[in-house]
């Protein structure tokens, strides 16, 4: 019995801001699973800023999506048919195989999720890749220490809101965040940021100077551009900048200029600036999961999602994400959580 | 009996390239040394690129030189009169008290130099601050490992020529250097660089691609600007850049633009870029001295100096240094080495 699936394919490589015409929803039929394969019905799929990079040809840390083929990305789902002894029917799994509602996958390409009683989508967010990104970036790459002052750009996103809260929970002296709307700024204050600003309200340099007049020890960057410029200026001697993202540049069609007076700032303050990619830090997964699960159970960590409903809305979700429409993790729900 | 000295004072803060009019040679008379003081007759003084920063007001890691006052800088000399039990007459000492021929100093502001049989000026170069800069920058900050490929900008200078040779002596797979003349390039090849280029011969990016077609693991930067841009492009995944200097920018009168596509390169290759200041690494002094002295004794390390004669020539030496006239350490000799 063939398996019907709907999949989002990349229709064209965008120049600048992606548009709905760059994507195409395709109906396909898969044959029954072969030996060693499972059929996964997706419960929710992730849209993430890094995916903008996969639409582009050229050297990157991840292979680009191919035009005319299904796009890849994190998803959680349920195994509805199994021909693998390792993954039973009914198992809840994490895969990198959305954007689609149903996929036939080799069992080794899914990871079974333990039953936690928590929403399944959190495995795409605070307990998943974005959470580990925040954890590894702040504690390992950023060498955060109790008493440090931290500035997070794009702080209301999935990664940023985790970074800020992790810093607070580990004894930061100050946690400053930037975001793109008054509502997000208000939410950052609610979840324990000591200061937050809307970057539309002036020059980032001035807003940061007001929010963190004494400077900061660690900068966690999701935005790039003017934010990076301002933060390098605000870092203390021996400050650390973790470069996790630069969403302000993702649709750039020209060469992006770098931070001004870079060498002079680097030397006079002996700054350490390091690029972050979560795949380098999977060895932290167990420690991360235990720590963050503990913060969730104790009620110390606030988790928020922005949820779009239905596979048809995956492209609007992604395009809105790139415009900053989300607070917390952006996910696309394809089916209710299984009981 | 008053002590006659000649001193270089800062006459004016330059805008852009310094000129001889920014300096003034002054004759002064000092009173006899007080209890705890020594009189030092300088044998040689150092001119270094970092001194351009001390001519400028504004935040920096070192206090600026004051207009109308004597300039400071490394020097070696001999104690010709002592009123301190700690420093005998005749002692050879290192001080931060040139630019002048004679100084009356508190004994705690001089450091006695052991008798090594090596030229005294080497304590201003390969066995002094520039040598320790190279050692700490390559091995600690740059986390150099045997088998790494290294690119050094401004490689024929005091620091650069040490970095390249230290890398070779510790088993680099390749050592590439840039310099500003065919003579310097030839010298770099003589002292064991596996490839070298004159940055006047084209775009640095192209020249580097030719010299290091397989890329590099560590970049040690003395030049900044186009060199930094090119090197970030040539670094491997997990590559390290050590920002030691940016002599191409020292006379800039405008904001210096930063490396292009910075965030994207940092993330896709998880680069680590770190500013270097030697004063953070004085704990390495003993290890550094033993290691480098060993390389000198075994004949493995080539040491070269560019020497200008006489205090009158201190300003030409400094201005020529900023234009890259030196090969190896630039020093100004004020008296012969004592027997």
């Amino acid at each position: 019995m063939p398996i019907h699936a709907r999949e989002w394919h990349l229709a064209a490589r965008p120049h600048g801001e992606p548009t709905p015409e760059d994507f195409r929803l395709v109906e396909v039929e898969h044959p029954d699973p072969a030996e060693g394969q499972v059929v996964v019905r997706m419960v929710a799929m992730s849209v993430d800023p890094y995916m903008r990079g996969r639409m582009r040809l050229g050297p990157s840390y991840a292979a680009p999506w191919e035009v005319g083929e299904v796009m890849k990305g994190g998803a959680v789902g349920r195994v509805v048919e199994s021909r693998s002894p390792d993954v039973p029917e009914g198992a809840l799994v994490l895969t990198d195989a959305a954007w689609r509602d149903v996929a036939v996958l080799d069992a080794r390409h899914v990871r079974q999720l333990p039953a936690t009683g928590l929403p399944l989508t959190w495995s795409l967010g605070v307990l998943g890749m974005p959470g580990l990104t925040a954890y590894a970036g702040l504690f390992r790459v950023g060498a955060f220490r109790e008493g440090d002052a931290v500035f997070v750009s794009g702080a209301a996103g999935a990664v940023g809101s985790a970074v800020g809260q992790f810093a607070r929970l580990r004894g930061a002296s100050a946690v400053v965040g930037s975001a793109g709307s008054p509502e997000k700024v208000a939410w950052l204050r609610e979840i324990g940021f000591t200061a937050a600003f809307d970057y539309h309200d002036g020059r980032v340099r001035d807003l940061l100077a007001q929010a963190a007049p004494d400077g900061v020890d660690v900068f966690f960057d999701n935005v790039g551009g003017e934010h990076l410029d301002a933060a390098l200026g605000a870092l203390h001697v021996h400050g650390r900048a973790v470069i996790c993202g630069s969403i302000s540049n993702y649709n750039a069609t020209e060469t992006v200029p770098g931070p001004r007076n870079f060498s002079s700032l680097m030397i006079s303050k002996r700054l350490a600036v390091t690029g972050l990619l979560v795949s380098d830090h999977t060895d932290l997964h167990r420690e991360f999961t235990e720590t963050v699960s503990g913060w969730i159970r104790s009620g110390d960590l606030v988790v928020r999602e922005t949820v779009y409903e239905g596979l048809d809305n995956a492209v609007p979700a992604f395009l809105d994400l790139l415009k900053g429409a989300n607070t917390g993790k952006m996910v696309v729900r394809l089916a209710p959580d299984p009981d």
Side-chain angles (χ1 to χ4, degrees), chain A residues 25-38:
Chain A
L25 190 56
V26 176
E27 307 217 356
V28 295
E29 282 193 2
H30 294 295
D32 283 333
E35 190 60 38
Q37 289 191 312
V38 295

Side-chain angles (χ1 to χ4, degrees), chain A residues 15-30:
Chain A
H15 182 75
E17 197 177 312
T19 66
E21 289 68 43
D22 298 323
F23 307 85
R24 182 177 301 129
L25 190 56
V26 176
E27 307 217 356
V28 295
E29 282 193 2
H30 294 295

Side-chain angles (χ1 to χ4, degrees), chain A residues 9-13 54-55 57 63-72:
Chain A
H9 289 199
L10 184 62
R13 300 204 184 280
R54 304 195 69 175
M55 304 183 79
L57 275 178
W65 291 332
E66 296 299 336
V67 172
E69 293 190 10
V70 67
M71 303 185 297
K72 296 287 179 65

Side-chain angles (χ1 to χ4, degrees), chain A residues 71-125:
Chain A
M71 303 185 297
K72 296 287 179 65
V76 285
R78 198 168 68 88
V79 173
V80 293
E81 188 180 345
S82 175
R83 294 197 58 197
S84 160
D86 301 328
V87 185
E89 207 176 295
L92 301 178
V93 294
L94 181 70
T95 94
D96 194 41
W99 307 30
R100 47 193 160 179
D101 55 2
V102 179
V104 180
L105 301 169
D106 286 354
R108 67 175 189 280
H109 289 152
V110 306
R111 191 169 84 211
Q112 290 189 65
L113 293 168
T116 58
L118 299 173
L120 202 54
T121 50
W122 290 14
S123 293
L124 300 175

Side-chain angles (χ1 to χ4, degrees), chain A residues 150-170:
Chain A
V150 177
F151 172 46
V152 190
S153 66
V159 174
S161 60
V163 170
Q165 294 188 85
F166 294 174
R168 166 175 58 78
L169 289 163
R170 283 277 172 87

